[in-house]
Amino acid sequence: MKINNEHLKELEDEAIFVFREVAAQFEKKVILFSGGKDSIVLVHLAKKAFWPAKMPFSLLHIDTGHNFEEALSFRDDLARETGVELIVRYVQDTIDQGRVNEETGINASRNKAQSVTLLDGINDLMIDVAVGGGRRDEEKARAKERFFSHRNEFGQWDPKNQRPELWNVFNGHKHYGEHFRVFPISNWTEIDVWQYILSENIALPSLYYSHRRKIFLRNGVYLAWAPFMKLKPNEKVFETKVRCRTVGDITCTGVTLSKADSLEEIISEIAATRVTERGGRYDDQRSEAAMEDRKKEGYF
């Protein structure tokens, strides 16, 4: 498989430059970590940016309580191997505190509740920058993001009130109580991420490779089945070979029917597909502006 290493090197250099700018401009810094491929690539880039010194970031994971076990195990192993502080905040605690009401019904999900847990964590820990793995090719709301995305004192994002970014000059000025989200791999595509993972030999959770799993079909999206999920009368659970293209809360993370069990096969599969990466995200189907609405409320 031919990989454009020069193109990947340019993307890597850009991301490393952004990481170093973050380190220079902010004090309390975290990488938003989900156990997904993009956040794993972020950790790899951060290690490269500051090697041989230890990267000056903690990992912050918002645990919905409905995460894939494979992702949680990988998260814990990575934190141990890198020696980086892992901070976990739980949506269940936010629910128990009465800060959010848990959704009920067939389509119930804790995905939206993550925003409150995240903002509470940012406030409690006095975080002034949270680095995320969002990319502009994923979804139209994310295409509006700058590298340095300003959030107001309520943690909200206003796409019409962001700073211009010219010639890689990033403005991290903020007032008390405000913070930034920073996206070092904004200009990467899904194929870029996978080719970089292949070229750098980056380990991933087994979820990303073809494996047998119990699933069901809902509104054209295959979802992984878990005992806490409610089914409609016409929905049947069956087992087959699938893999994940994105990783998040089980209730809204679609899976792909696939026999691809190597990075080369995954890259070939993605190159041929007509379905976008987030096309299998059930939470994005709630409304036309679902992602943008969640981002304005403080979502990743």
Side-chain angles (χ1 to χ4, degrees):
M1 175 172 291
K2 187 176 180 179
I3 294 178
N4 187 341
N5 289 311
E6 183 177 346
H7 170 65
L8 292 180
K9 186 65 169 62
E10 290 176 356
L11 291 174
E12 180 189 70
D13 288 345
E14 180 181 63
I16 286 175
F17 176 79
V18 173
F19 264 114
R20 290 173 177 166
E21 282 292 301
V22 171
Q25 296 193 43
F26 299 98
E27 295 183 10
K28 184 66 173 180
K29 305 173 281 289
V30 298
I31 293 175
L32 297 174
F33 192 80
S34 66
K37 68 181 187 310
D38 296 316
S39 58
I40 292 168
V41 166
L42 287 182
V43 173
H44 182 83
L45 289 164
K47 287 166 61 179
K48 272 197 159 187
F50 302 99
W51 182 264
K54 183 178 178 180
M55 65 178 185
F57 297 88
S58 300
L59 304 182
L60 175 60
H61 181 221
I62 305 303
D63 190 336
T64 66
H66 295 161
N67 297 98
F68 289 95
E69 286 298 326
E70 297 93 330
L72 297 180
S73 296
F74 189 94
R75 175 201 71 186
D76 295 341
D77 290 343
L78 183 64
R80 278 193 297 269
E81 290 168 7
T82 58
V84 175
E85 179 188 24
L86 172 62
I87 305 167
V88 182
R89 288 298 179 107
Y90 299 93
V91 171
Q92 184 62 56
D93 291 341
T94 309
I95 294 170
D96 293 343
Q97 294 162 7
R99 297 275 293 136
V100 293
N101 294 321
E102 184 158 20
E103 293 182 0
T104 59
I106 293 292
N107 293 311
S109 174
R110 291 181 172 182
N111 200 49
K112 187 176 181 181
Q114 291 182 85
S115 299
V116 178
T117 308
L118 173 61
L119 292 178
D120 285 350
I122 287 174
N123 182 62
D124 296 343
L125 298 168
M126 300 182 69
I127 292 167
D128 57 0
V129 63
V131 179
R135 308 187 321 269
R136 294 189 180 116
D137 76 316
E138 289 183 273
E139 199 271 343
K140 57 188 177 183
R142 287 185 169 173
K144 299 178 183 179
E145 287 282 15
R146 304 290 198 271
F147 278 98
F148 278 40
S149 178
H150 174 261
R151 304 297 171 108
N152 64 22
E153 65 271 27
F154 303 107
Q156 295 174 327
W157 172 67
D158 180 0
K160 297 180 180 178
N161 188 29
Q162 298 295 317
R163 285 87 183 270
E165 292 179 344
L166 305 174
W167 303 290
N168 288 336
V169 177
F170 301 119
N171 181 358
H173 175 73
K174 63 181 182 60
H175 297 292
Y176 181 79
E178 299 175 343
H179 74 278
F180 275 80
R181 309 284 174 85
V182 173
F183 305 99
I185 60 172
S186 289
N187 287 335
W188 298 41
T189 66
E190 184 184 11
I191 284 287
D192 292 332
V193 171
W194 281 108
Q195 290 186 334
Y196 186 73
I197 289 168
L198 175 61
S199 66
E200 295 287 301
N201 194 28
I202 299 173
L204 294 176
S206 58
L207 288 163
Y208 282 106
Y209 302 95
S210 180
H211 61 283
R212 296 194 69 83
R213 183 176 293 275
K214 291 182 178 180
I215 66 170
F216 64 95
L217 182 64
R218 175 171 293 173
N219 297 341
V221 176
Y222 288 107
L223 294 173
W225 178 82
F228 56 81
M229 298 177 74
K230 297 179 180 179
L231 298 175
K232 298 177 182 179
N234 65 327
E235 293 175 341
K236 304 298 180 184
V237 175
F238 62 100
E239 187 174 304
T240 189
K241 280 194 167 186
V242 298
R243 69 175 193 85
C244 293
R245 285 178 73 182
T246 64
V247 171
D249 189 281
I250 291 175
T251 60
C252 56
T253 300
V255 295
T256 301
L257 301 179
S258 174
K259 295 181 180 179
D261 56 9
S262 70
L263 290 173
E264 291 86 353
E265 289 176 338
I266 290 171
I267 292 170
S268 296
E269 184 180 88
I270 293 170
T273 187
R274 293 181 177 271
V275 179
T276 63
E277 183 177 8
R278 292 193 67 91
R281 291 284 298 204
Y282 194 71
D283 51 328
D284 287 353
Q285 299 186 13
R286 292 194 170 199
S287 73
E288 184 69 20
M291 171 63 81
E292 182 156 337
D293 292 341
R294 292 199 305 277
K295 285 176 65 63
K296 288 178 180 178
E297 295 169 0
Y299 188 72
F300 298 174

